[in-house]
Amino acid sequence: MTAQRACAVSDLQEDTPLRVELDGVPIAVVLDSEGEIHAIGDTCTHGDISLSEGFVEGTTLECWAHGSAFSLCSGKPLNLPAYEPVPVYVTEIVGDDLMIDPTVTKDVSGL
Ligand code: FES
């Protein structure tokens, strides 16, 4: 599997999650207020809720259903009720294209 075009970088709006689906894998893409682009699994690990419908605050994305906030860097929930992390995907910018391989996740063990 190789990286695929997820969206145009210029389509991303600060702190506004964008849901993309690559090979059936839902991914939430977020441009944070520091200009960093993050790509994490879009499905909350507490319930079948799209995290991209939630709220960005700093480098977290909060699930609207019950309030678990997931780190955009590590994918880990920072508060209950979710306790399992979501995957964090490697991103690459090519021109104005944001490229993501939905089979490649970041090693976040040190985060
Ligand atoms: S479904 Fe996301 S915190 Fe409950």
Side-chain angles (χ1 to χ4, degrees), residues 14-97:
E14 188 178 302
D15 291 345
T16 304
L18 178 69
R19 183 184 193 276
V20 299
E21 198 167 312
L22 300 175
D23 289 340
V25 178
I27 298 172
V29 178
V30 174
L31 171 66
D32 73 19
S33 58
E34 302 291 324
E36 288 286 320
I37 295 175
H38 307 271
I40 66 171
D42 186 54
T43 305
C44 180
T45 56
H46 179 242
D48 189 20
I49 296 291
S50 173
L51 289 176
S52 58
E53 295 173 2
F55 315 101
V56 177
E57 191 164 327
T59 54
T60 65
L61 178 53
E62 181 180 322
C63 178
W64 62 263
H66 308 106
S68 283
F70 291 80
S71 165
L72 292 166
C73 303
S74 71
K76 295 174 185 166
L78 305 180
N79 55 307
L80 295 170
Y83 57 88
E84 295 283 347
V86 292
V88 180
Y89 296 96
V90 176
T91 61
E92 183 184 4
I93 296 172
V94 180
D96 188 42
D97 292 334

Side-chain angles (χ1 to χ4, degrees), residues 97-109:
D97 292 334
L98 179 69
M99 308 295 291
I100 299 173
D101 183 337
T103 67
V104 178
T105 56
K106 275 187 185 173
D107 177 7
V108 295
S109 53

